[in-house]
Amino acid sequence: MKQIDLLIIGGGPAGLAAAAAAYESGCRDMLILEREETLGGILKQCIHNGFGLHTFKEELTGPEYAQRYIDKILEYGIPYQTGAMVIEITPEKTVTCVSREKGLEQFSARAIILAMGCRERPRGSLGTPGWRCAGVYTAGTAQKFVNLQGLMPGKRVVILGSGDIGLIMARRMTFSGAEVLGCVELMPYSAGLKRNIVQCLDDFDIPLYLSHTVIDIEGKERLSGVTIAKVDGDLKPIPGTEIHFDCDTLLLSVGLIPENELSEMAGVKLSPATSGAIVDDRLMTSVEGIFSCGNVLHVHDLVDFVSQESARAGENAAAYLEGRLDICAQRIPVVAGSGVNALVPQYISQSANCPTTIMFRPRAVRKNAVVRVCVGDEELLRKKYRVLAPGEMVTMTLPADFMQRQAAQAQGAEVLVEVLE
Amino acid sequence: MTRELTCIGCPMGCRISAEIQDGKIIKIEGNSCNVGKKYAEEELSCPKRMVTALVQVQGAREPLCVKTREPIEKRLIFDCLRELEKVSVVRPVHIGQIVLKNVCGTGVDVVATREYD
Ligand SMILES: Cc1cc2nc3c(=O)[nH]c(=O)nc-3n(C[C@H](O)[C@H](O)[C@H](O)COP(=O)(O)OP(=O)(O)OC[C@H]3O[C@@H](n4cnc5c(N)ncnc54)[C@H](O)[C@@H]3O)c2cc1C
Ligand code: SF4
């Protein structure tokens, strides 16, 4: 068994940014384990532009953005192993990994950063009717076929779900010569970024059917058509509103699920709201020395925020390794009040003395809303938003000194985040 | 005539409505900042888009991903894609390498967006 200070599981943008930051903070004994043949994660297949506006002040494509971080890893000489799949992590931080090159390997790590990303919700979890015919793909799988392998999944396409991957694929399939008949969304609003609605659907006159769902999938061997219908307030299909499409392909873009099987093996407690680990402001999970960041922690819309968050995980892991992280500090809970969902982090440690970032998703679309953060009865922050939508994550930065305030020191103190009308 | 559009300048996605008379914009409403005003003016006069696409690589099935170095006129998107269909590059290709010069006479080059060995 190899002894190592820091193991990073996953070589996507999260793992890369965490590794670079850990190196910059002084860590030298580390290794990135990535199951695919190259570094870069999901960005390799995201060939569209729209990455890095926040970080690099220029609009990059996914592969270009990833390359910036890969170059850093190479420049620092940070070791990585590709084609290496981690299959087990124990609470004692023993990590088992398999690769074609080295077979089964075991590491004993002093700290671990979990950066495994997420996977797409498959058809099975949706309960759609009809035969299990060919022609039904998740949008990300189709993206991989088209962008990485040069294969076209079909010619006449309907997209279920208006998440960003679905929107991006509507445009890509159109560019590649397919006809996209429509994008069908169950909710009365889209889960995707405005920009993608405009540039991927509106630009090509692809209709967006809000408050609609697929009620029938036809075809035995290969998909031959789908029927959609409007839904009522309880999301039940309304008879008489059916629309039928002849199509050979249905793409599903119905959400992402953080990949936390390994985290659970390691004894990391998960949050039902995010499906990711419960962490404190330093991104440490419930297991000491195990950190989590990026899409495995909570689903992000923007890779820039993934990189920022992961860099903090890297810095903190390095600090932990040097004994600079006060792990005995009291932690106060961060509580999701009305209108707030998928809040991260769930705890803030009392020793926090740098600005703490809180992220969450609004529960519903709200116009002219106010987000308020309180500790006890003291208001820490109040911010006005003209629009809040579940599709767009809200980031709030708490003042650096707030933990020193009296209300934060009180017994049973908690930070409450809420959306006010 | 009134035209409705969604500003993409930031996640706010303001709904902007513009009053147009004789091809001139006479009023813009709904934007919360100047970015929105500029966006509406450009969208209504000469909308532009960055185009990302795939081109063939000689002797390989895996395509190479490329982009226009700058946004080009939206109405030229499909012409641009058609020109790129005729392109077939020789390996290795480096990030930023020009794959097609002056696409559709726009003065904009198409460049590779990944390393391809
Ligand atoms: C289709 C799509 C479009 C997007 N569009 C945009 C956009 O326009 N703008 C934007 O800013 N963001 C966009 N994003 C979001 C951004 O790409 C993600 O937020 C980001 O890639 C998440 O990074 P990550 O490192 O957490 O996860 P990933 O990129 O998924 O990386 C995780 C890595 O971990 C590896 N891994 C997992 N399990 C194991 C294991 N057991 N052992 C070893 N390795 C493992 C995986 O192989 C993968 O390489 C998009 C995302 C998708 C999917
Ligand atoms: S007008 Fe300004 S605030 Fe509104 S979406 Fe555009 S950039 Fe954002």
Side-chain angles (χ1 to χ4, degrees), chain A residues 64 148 172 203 386 392, chain B residues 8 11 32 49 52 62 67:
Chain A
E64 289 173 306
L148 291 182
R172 180 61 54 209
D203 271 6
R386 226 162 260 122
E392 275 157 26
Chain B
I8 57 157
S32 315
R49 296 289 184 266
T52 60
E62 256 191 55
K67 69 172 183 187

Side-chain angles (χ1 to χ4, degrees), chain A residues 386, chain B residues 7-14 16 30-37:
Chain A
R386 226 162 260 122
Chain B
C7 178
I8 57 157
C10 82
M12 279 273 298
C14 294
I16 301 177
N31 56 308
S32 315
C33 70
N34 254 329
V35 174
K37 185 161 170 268

Side-chain angles (χ1 to χ4, degrees), chain A residues 195-264:
Chain A
R195 166 198 167 103
N196 287 339
I197 306 259
V198 172
Q199 298 197 345
C200 299
L201 297 183
D202 297 356
D203 271 6
F204 309 103
D205 299 317
I206 299 170
L208 173 61
Y209 298 94
L210 294 173
S211 298
H212 276 75
T213 192
V214 169
I215 56 163
D216 197 19
I217 295 177
E218 297 135 48
K220 253 189 179 164
E221 299 289 322
R222 173 81 198 196
L223 181 73
S224 59
V226 301
T227 306
I228 70 168
K230 208 173 164 58
V231 296
D232 60 21
D234 299 321
L235 307 181
K236 292 264 164 349
I238 305 171
T241 61
E242 296 85 0
I243 309 174
H244 181 267
F245 296 101
D246 287 326
C247 60
D248 59 15
T249 306
L250 176 67
L251 299 186
L252 305 176
S253 176
V254 290
L256 300 166
I257 325 168
E259 251 187 48
N260 273 301
E261 287 75 12
L262 288 174
S263 320
E264 283 188 287

Side-chain angles (χ1 to χ4, degrees), chain A residues 47-49 59-61 63-64 67 146-151 172 174-176 194-195 198-199 202-204 385-387 392, chain B residues 6-8 11-13 32 39 48-54 61-63 65-67 74 77-78 81 95 112-115:
Chain A
I47 65 162
H48 58 283
N49 58 302
E59 242 188 79
L60 302 173
T61 63
E64 289 173 306
Q67 195 63 43
V146 178
N147 294 350
L148 291 182
Q149 295 166 6
L151 300 168
R172 180 61 54 209
T174 308
F175 277 10
S176 303
K194 281 279 159 18
R195 166 198 167 103
V198 172
Q199 298 197 345
D202 297 356
D203 271 6
F204 309 103
Y385 289 85
R386 226 162 260 122
V387 193
E392 275 157 26
Chain B
T6 311
C7 178
I8 57 157
M12 279 273 298
S32 315
Y39 172 77
K48 287 189 172 163
R49 296 289 184 266
M50 194 97 130
V51 179
T52 60
L54 296 154
R61 199 187 62 192
E62 256 191 55
C65 47
V66 299
K67 69 172 183 187
K74 187 170 124 182
I77 291 179
F78 286 96
L81 291 170
I95 220 165
T113 54
R114 68 170 265 201
E115 296 285 316

Side-chain angles (χ1 to χ4, degrees), chain A residues 191-384:
Chain A
L193 299 173
K194 281 279 159 18
R195 166 198 167 103
N196 287 339
I197 306 259
V198 172
Q199 298 197 345
C200 299
L201 297 183
D202 297 356
D203 271 6
F204 309 103
D205 299 317
I206 299 170
L208 173 61
Y209 298 94
L210 294 173
S211 298
H212 276 75
T213 192
V214 169
I215 56 163
D216 197 19
I217 295 177
E218 297 135 48
K220 253 189 179 164
E221 299 289 322
R222 173 81 198 196
L223 181 73
S224 59
V226 301
T227 306
I228 70 168
K230 208 173 164 58
V231 296
D232 60 21
D234 299 321
L235 307 181
K236 292 264 164 349
I238 305 171
T241 61
E242 296 85 0
I243 309 174
H244 181 267
F245 296 101
D246 287 326
C247 60
D248 59 15
T249 306
L250 176 67
L251 299 186
L252 305 176
S253 176
V254 290
L256 300 166
I257 325 168
E259 251 187 48
N260 273 301
E261 287 75 12
L262 288 174
S263 320
E264 283 188 287
M265 276 187 205
V268 166
K269 286 206 188 79
L270 302 186
S271 148
T274 56
S275 307
I278 293 177
V279 291
D280 62 15
D281 55 302
R282 301 170 302 192
L283 303 162
M284 200 196 290
T285 66
S286 59
V287 180
E288 194 191 305
I290 300 188
F291 299 79
S292 176
C293 58
N295 273 356
V296 76
L297 177 59
H298 55 147
V299 178
H300 291 71
D301 321 314
L302 289 182
V303 72
D304 304 71
F305 295 142
V306 169
S307 303
Q308 279 171 25
E309 175 179 279
S310 307
R312 277 196 292 130
E315 284 160 23
N316 289 324
Y320 169 78
L321 286 165
E322 286 179 12
R324 286 190 280 115
L325 213 60
D326 179 6
I327 43 175
C328 305
Q330 287 277 0
R331 305 193 308 171
I332 68 174
V334 187
V335 179
S338 70
V340 173
N341 194 12
L343 187 68
V344 171
Q346 291 83 359
Y347 290 96
I348 298 179
S349 57
Q350 212 113 52
S351 67
N353 57 359
C354 54
T356 301
T357 311
I358 292 180
M359 291 176 157
F360 70 90
R361 284 182 189 276
R363 277 196 185 276
V365 177
R366 287 266 170 281
K367 294 238 161 87
N368 298 316
V370 170
V371 177
R372 184 170 74 169
V373 184
C374 295
V375 56
D377 43 22
E378 194 177 328
E379 188 173 290
L380 289 174
L381 264 184
R382 174 184 274 269
K383 217 162 142 189
K384 270 198 198 137

